[in-house]
Short mmCIF file of all heavy atoms in Angstrom, two decimals:
data_model
loop_
_atom_site.label_atom_id
_atom_site.label_comp_id
_atom_site.label_asym_id
_atom_site.label_seq_id
_atom_site.Cartn_x
_atom_site.Cartn_y
_atom_site.Cartn_z
N LYS O 77 5.34 10.14 1.14
CA LYS O 77 5.15 8.75 0.75
C LYS O 77 4.43 8.01 1.86
O LYS O 77 4.83 8.06 3.03
CB LYS O 77 6.49 8.08 0.45
CG LYS O 77 6.34 6.61 0.04
CD LYS O 77 7.69 5.96 -0.28
CE LYS O 77 7.52 4.49 -0.62
NZ LYS O 77 8.82 3.83 -0.95
N ILE O 78 3.36 7.30 1.48
CA ILE O 78 2.57 6.51 2.42
C ILE O 78 2.44 5.11 1.86
O ILE O 78 2.08 4.93 0.69
CB ILE O 78 1.17 7.12 2.62
CG1 ILE O 78 1.28 8.57 3.12
CG2 ILE O 78 0.35 6.28 3.60
CD1 ILE O 78 -0.05 9.30 3.17
N VAL O 79 2.74 4.12 2.67
CA VAL O 79 2.61 2.72 2.27
C VAL O 79 1.38 2.13 2.94
O VAL O 79 1.23 2.23 4.17
CB VAL O 79 3.86 1.91 2.64
CG1 VAL O 79 3.69 0.44 2.26
CG2 VAL O 79 5.10 2.50 1.95
N VAL O 80 0.53 1.52 2.15
CA VAL O 80 -0.68 0.88 2.68
C VAL O 80 -0.52 -0.63 2.57
O VAL O 80 -0.52 -1.19 1.46
CB VAL O 80 -1.95 1.34 1.93
CG1 VAL O 80 -3.19 0.64 2.50
CG2 VAL O 80 -2.10 2.86 2.03
N ILE O 81 -0.33 -1.28 3.70
CA ILE O 81 -0.21 -2.74 3.74
C ILE O 81 -1.62 -3.32 3.64
O ILE O 81 -2.50 -2.98 4.41
CB ILE O 81 0.46 -3.22 5.05
CG1 ILE O 81 1.80 -2.52 5.27
CG2 ILE O 81 0.62 -4.73 5.04
CD1 ILE O 81 2.85 -2.81 4.23
N GLY O 82 -1.82 -4.21 2.67
CA GLY O 82 -3.18 -4.66 2.37
C GLY O 82 -3.88 -3.70 1.44
O GLY O 82 -5.10 -3.56 1.46
N GLY O 83 -3.09 -3.03 0.62
CA GLY O 83 -3.61 -1.94 -0.22
C GLY O 83 -4.49 -2.36 -1.37
O GLY O 83 -5.08 -1.50 -2.03
N SER O 84 -4.63 -3.67 -1.60
CA SER O 84 -5.51 -4.13 -2.68
C SER O 84 -6.83 -4.67 -2.15
O SER O 84 -7.68 -5.11 -2.92
CB SER O 84 -4.81 -5.21 -3.52
OG SER O 84 -4.50 -6.35 -2.71
N GLY O 85 -7.02 -4.64 -0.83
CA GLY O 85 -8.23 -5.19 -0.23
C GLY O 85 -9.38 -4.21 -0.19
O GLY O 85 -9.32 -3.11 -0.75
N LEU O 86 -10.45 -4.61 0.51
CA LEU O 86 -11.68 -3.81 0.57
C LEU O 86 -11.42 -2.40 1.07
O LEU O 86 -11.80 -1.41 0.43
CB LEU O 86 -12.70 -4.51 1.48
CG LEU O 86 -13.98 -3.74 1.79
CD1 LEU O 86 -14.81 -3.54 0.52
CD2 LEU O 86 -14.79 -4.45 2.87
N ILE O 87 -10.77 -2.27 2.23
CA ILE O 87 -10.48 -0.95 2.79
C ILE O 87 -9.26 -0.35 2.13
O ILE O 87 -9.24 0.83 1.79
CB ILE O 87 -10.27 -1.04 4.31
CG1 ILE O 87 -11.49 -1.66 4.99
CG2 ILE O 87 -9.97 0.34 4.89
CD1 ILE O 87 -12.78 -0.91 4.79
N GLY O 88 -8.24 -1.16 1.94
CA GLY O 88 -6.98 -0.66 1.40
C GLY O 88 -7.12 0.00 0.05
O GLY O 88 -6.54 1.08 -0.18
N SER O 89 -7.88 -0.60 -0.85
CA SER O 89 -8.01 -0.02 -2.20
C SER O 89 -8.71 1.33 -2.14
O SER O 89 -8.33 2.27 -2.86
CB SER O 89 -8.79 -0.98 -3.10
OG SER O 89 -10.07 -1.27 -2.57
N LYS O 90 -9.73 1.46 -1.28
CA LYS O 90 -10.42 2.75 -1.13
C LYS O 90 -9.50 3.78 -0.48
O LYS O 90 -9.50 4.96 -0.85
CB LYS O 90 -11.69 2.58 -0.30
CG LYS O 90 -12.80 1.81 -0.99
CD LYS O 90 -14.00 1.67 -0.07
CE LYS O 90 -15.24 1.14 -0.81
NZ LYS O 90 -15.04 -0.20 -1.38
N LEU O 91 -8.72 3.35 0.49
CA LEU O 91 -7.80 4.26 1.17
C LEU O 91 -6.72 4.76 0.22
O LEU O 91 -6.38 5.96 0.22
CB LEU O 91 -7.17 3.56 2.37
CG LEU O 91 -6.11 4.35 3.13
CD1 LEU O 91 -6.65 5.66 3.67
CD2 LEU O 91 -5.54 3.49 4.27
N VAL O 92 -6.17 3.88 -0.59
CA VAL O 92 -5.15 4.28 -1.57
C VAL O 92 -5.69 5.35 -2.50
O VAL O 92 -5.02 6.35 -2.78
CB VAL O 92 -4.67 3.04 -2.37
CG1 VAL O 92 -3.88 3.46 -3.61
CG2 VAL O 92 -3.82 2.13 -1.48
N GLN O 93 -6.92 5.19 -2.97
CA GLN O 93 -7.52 6.19 -3.86
C GLN O 93 -7.66 7.53 -3.16
O GLN O 93 -7.35 8.58 -3.75
CB GLN O 93 -8.90 5.70 -4.32
CG GLN O 93 -8.86 4.49 -5.23
CD GLN O 93 -10.25 3.93 -5.49
OE1 GLN O 93 -11.25 4.39 -4.93
NE2 GLN O 93 -10.32 2.92 -6.34
N ARG O 94 -8.10 7.52 -1.92
CA ARG O 94 -8.30 8.77 -1.19
C ARG O 94 -6.98 9.49 -0.93
O ARG O 94 -6.88 10.72 -1.05
CB ARG O 94 -9.03 8.50 0.12
CG ARG O 94 -10.53 8.22 -0.07
CD ARG O 94 -11.10 7.46 1.10
NE ARG O 94 -12.57 7.38 1.06
CZ ARG O 94 -13.25 6.58 0.25
NH1 ARG O 94 -12.59 5.78 -0.59
NH2 ARG O 94 -14.58 6.57 0.27
N LEU O 95 -5.96 8.74 -0.54
CA LEU O 95 -4.65 9.35 -0.27
C LEU O 95 -4.03 9.92 -1.55
O LEU O 95 -3.41 10.99 -1.54
CB LEU O 95 -3.72 8.33 0.37
CG LEU O 95 -4.08 7.91 1.80
CD1 LEU O 95 -3.26 6.70 2.22
CD2 LEU O 95 -3.88 9.07 2.77
N ALA O 96 -4.20 9.20 -2.65
CA ALA O 96 -3.67 9.68 -3.93
C ALA O 96 -4.37 10.97 -4.36
O ALA O 96 -3.73 11.91 -4.85
CB ALA O 96 -3.83 8.61 -5.00
N ARG O 97 -5.69 11.03 -4.13
CA ARG O 97 -6.43 12.25 -4.49
C ARG O 97 -5.99 13.43 -3.63
O ARG O 97 -6.11 14.58 -4.05
CB ARG O 97 -7.94 12.01 -4.32
CG ARG O 97 -8.57 11.19 -5.41
CD ARG O 97 -10.08 11.42 -5.48
NE ARG O 97 -10.76 11.04 -4.25
CZ ARG O 97 -11.34 9.84 -4.06
NH1 ARG O 97 -11.29 8.93 -5.02
NH2 ARG O 97 -11.95 9.59 -2.93
N SER O 98 -5.46 13.14 -2.45
CA SER O 98 -4.96 14.21 -1.57
C SER O 98 -3.55 14.63 -1.96
O SER O 98 -2.96 15.49 -1.29
CB SER O 98 -4.99 13.74 -0.11
OG SER O 98 -6.31 13.57 0.33
N GLY O 99 -2.99 14.02 -2.98
CA GLY O 99 -1.71 14.46 -3.51
C GLY O 99 -0.49 13.73 -2.98
O GLY O 99 0.64 14.17 -3.21
N HIS O 100 -0.70 12.61 -2.30
CA HIS O 100 0.43 11.89 -1.72
C HIS O 100 0.92 10.77 -2.63
O HIS O 100 0.17 10.26 -3.47
CB HIS O 100 0.04 11.34 -0.35
CG HIS O 100 -0.36 12.41 0.61
ND1 HIS O 100 0.55 13.20 1.26
CD2 HIS O 100 -1.59 12.87 0.99
CE1 HIS O 100 -0.08 14.08 2.03
NE2 HIS O 100 -1.38 13.91 1.87
N GLU O 101 2.17 10.40 -2.43
CA GLU O 101 2.75 9.25 -3.13
C GLU O 101 2.35 8.01 -2.34
O GLU O 101 2.77 7.83 -1.20
CB GLU O 101 4.27 9.36 -3.18
CG GLU O 101 4.95 8.16 -3.81
CD GLU O 101 6.46 8.18 -3.63
OE1 GLU O 101 6.99 9.20 -3.16
OE2 GLU O 101 7.09 7.15 -3.95
N VAL O 102 1.51 7.17 -2.93
CA VAL O 102 0.95 6.04 -2.20
C VAL O 102 1.38 4.73 -2.86
O VAL O 102 1.28 4.56 -4.07
CB VAL O 102 -0.59 6.10 -2.17
CG1 VAL O 102 -1.14 5.04 -1.21
CG2 VAL O 102 -1.07 7.47 -1.76
N LEU O 103 1.85 3.81 -2.03
CA LEU O 103 2.23 2.48 -2.49
C LEU O 103 1.26 1.47 -1.90
O LEU O 103 1.16 1.34 -0.67
CB LEU O 103 3.66 2.14 -2.07
CG LEU O 103 4.15 0.73 -2.40
CD1 LEU O 103 4.11 0.48 -3.90
CD2 LEU O 103 5.58 0.53 -1.87
N ALA O 104 0.53 0.77 -2.77
CA ALA O 104 -0.38 -0.29 -2.33
C ALA O 104 0.42 -1.58 -2.22
O ALA O 104 0.81 -2.16 -3.23
CB ALA O 104 -1.53 -0.44 -3.31
N ALA O 105 0.68 -2.00 -1.00
CA ALA O 105 1.55 -3.16 -0.75
C ALA O 105 0.72 -4.41 -0.49
O ALA O 105 -0.18 -4.39 0.35
CB ALA O 105 2.46 -2.88 0.44
N SER O 106 1.05 -5.47 -1.19
CA SER O 106 0.39 -6.76 -0.99
C SER O 106 1.29 -7.83 -1.59
O SER O 106 2.19 -7.53 -2.37
CB SER O 106 -0.98 -6.78 -1.68
OG SER O 106 -0.83 -6.77 -3.08
N PRO O 107 1.06 -9.10 -1.24
CA PRO O 107 1.87 -10.17 -1.86
C PRO O 107 1.81 -10.15 -3.38
O PRO O 107 2.80 -10.47 -4.05
CB PRO O 107 1.24 -11.44 -1.28
CG PRO O 107 0.71 -11.02 0.05
CD PRO O 107 0.18 -9.62 -0.18
N ASN O 108 0.67 -9.75 -3.94
CA ASN O 108 0.54 -9.69 -5.39
C ASN O 108 1.45 -8.64 -6.02
O ASN O 108 1.80 -8.73 -7.20
CB ASN O 108 -0.91 -9.40 -5.79
CG ASN O 108 -1.82 -10.58 -5.54
OD1 ASN O 108 -1.37 -11.71 -5.46
ND2 ASN O 108 -3.11 -10.32 -5.40
N SER O 109 1.83 -7.63 -5.21
CA SER O 109 2.73 -6.60 -5.73
C SER O 109 4.18 -6.88 -5.30
O SER O 109 5.04 -6.01 -5.43
CB SER O 109 2.29 -5.22 -5.24
OG SER O 109 2.38 -5.12 -3.82
N GLY O 110 4.43 -8.08 -4.77
CA GLY O 110 5.79 -8.46 -4.40
C GLY O 110 6.22 -7.99 -3.02
O GLY O 110 7.41 -8.00 -2.70
N ILE O 111 5.24 -7.58 -2.18
CA ILE O 111 5.56 -7.10 -0.83
C ILE O 111 4.81 -7.98 0.16
O ILE O 111 3.58 -7.94 0.24
CB ILE O 111 5.17 -5.62 -0.66
CG1 ILE O 111 5.86 -4.77 -1.74
CG2 ILE O 111 5.50 -5.13 0.73
CD1 ILE O 111 5.26 -3.41 -1.94
N ASN O 112 5.55 -8.78 0.90
CA ASN O 112 4.95 -9.80 1.75
C ASN O 112 5.40 -9.62 3.19
O ASN O 112 6.57 -9.81 3.51
CB ASN O 112 5.34 -11.20 1.24
CG ASN O 112 4.52 -12.30 1.87
OD1 ASN O 112 4.24 -12.27 3.07
ND2 ASN O 112 4.15 -13.29 1.08
N THR O 113 4.47 -9.24 4.06
CA THR O 113 4.84 -9.00 5.46
C THR O 113 5.13 -10.30 6.21
O THR O 113 5.83 -10.29 7.21
CB THR O 113 3.73 -8.23 6.19
OG1 THR O 113 2.49 -8.93 6.05
CG2 THR O 113 3.60 -6.83 5.65
N LEU O 114 4.60 -11.42 5.73
CA LEU O 114 4.86 -12.70 6.40
C LEU O 114 6.29 -13.17 6.18
O LEU O 114 6.94 -13.68 7.09
CB LEU O 114 3.88 -13.77 5.92
CG LEU O 114 2.53 -13.85 6.62
CD1 LEU O 114 1.70 -14.97 6.02
CD2 LEU O 114 2.70 -14.07 8.12
N THR O 115 6.79 -13.01 4.96
CA THR O 115 8.15 -13.46 4.65
C THR O 115 9.16 -12.32 4.73
O THR O 115 10.36 -12.56 4.79
CB THR O 115 8.20 -14.05 3.23
OG1 THR O 115 7.90 -13.00 2.28
CG2 THR O 115 7.19 -15.18 3.07
N GLY O 116 8.68 -11.09 4.69
CA GLY O 116 9.56 -9.93 4.67
C GLY O 116 9.97 -9.52 3.27
O GLY O 116 10.65 -8.49 3.09
N GLU O 117 9.55 -10.29 2.27
CA GLU O 117 9.92 -10.00 0.88
C GLU O 117 9.46 -8.61 0.46
O GLU O 117 8.30 -8.26 0.59
CB GLU O 117 9.28 -11.04 -0.05
CG GLU O 117 9.52 -10.77 -1.53
CD GLU O 117 8.67 -11.64 -2.45
OE1 GLU O 117 7.86 -12.43 -1.93
OE2 GLU O 117 8.83 -11.51 -3.68
N GLY O 118 10.40 -7.81 -0.03
CA GLY O 118 10.08 -6.51 -0.59
C GLY O 118 9.79 -5.41 0.41
O GLY O 118 9.58 -4.26 0.02
N LEU O 119 9.79 -5.73 1.71
CA LEU O 119 9.40 -4.73 2.70
C LEU O 119 10.38 -3.57 2.78
O LEU O 119 9.98 -2.41 2.82
CB LEU O 119 9.27 -5.38 4.09
CG LEU O 119 7.89 -5.81 4.55
CD1 LEU O 119 7.96 -6.37 5.96
CD2 LEU O 119 6.90 -4.66 4.48
N ALA O 120 11.66 -3.87 2.84
CA ALA O 120 12.66 -2.81 3.00
C ALA O 120 12.59 -1.81 1.86
O ALA O 120 12.59 -0.59 2.08
CB ALA O 120 14.05 -3.42 3.10
N ALA O 121 12.50 -2.31 0.65
CA ALA O 121 12.44 -1.42 -0.52
C ALA O 121 11.14 -0.62 -0.52
O ALA O 121 11.13 0.56 -0.87
CB ALA O 121 12.56 -2.23 -1.80
N ALA O 122 10.03 -1.27 -0.13
CA ALA O 122 8.74 -0.60 -0.15
C ALA O 122 8.69 0.54 0.85
O ALA O 122 8.12 1.61 0.58
CB ALA O 122 7.62 -1.59 0.15
N LEU O 123 9.30 0.36 2.03
CA LEU O 123 9.21 1.35 3.09
C LEU O 123 10.28 2.44 3.00
O LEU O 123 10.20 3.43 3.73
CB LEU O 123 9.29 0.67 4.46
CG LEU O 123 7.93 0.27 5.08
CD1 LEU O 123 7.15 -0.65 4.16
CD2 LEU O 123 8.14 -0.39 6.43
N ALA O 124 11.24 2.28 2.11
CA ALA O 124 12.29 3.29 1.97
C ALA O 124 11.68 4.65 1.64
O ALA O 124 10.95 4.78 0.66
CB ALA O 124 13.28 2.88 0.89
#
């Protein structure tokens, strides 16, 4: 399992695709997906 913080951005979205193609479980983390590094919202569950 790999978590990409900023996974919906320019680099993050491309990185998520590449990691998924390599067979890994990838979580694209961003405030839009309920994971916010500024507030801490959703971080613990995302990184488990």
Side-chain angles (χ1 to χ4, degrees):
K77 179 179 177 180
I78 303 173
V79 178
V80 179
I81 306 297
S84 61
L86 173 65
I87 303 300
S89 58
K90 290 179 169 62
L91 176 58
V92 166
Q93 292 172 356
R94 285 159 170 75
L95 291 169
R97 284 201 299 264
S98 293
H100 300 282
E101 176 190 352
V102 190
L103 175 60
S106 69
N108 288 338
S109 64
I111 304 163
N112 192 320
T113 55
L114 274 180
T115 64
E117 176 191 2
L119 263 183
L123 269 57

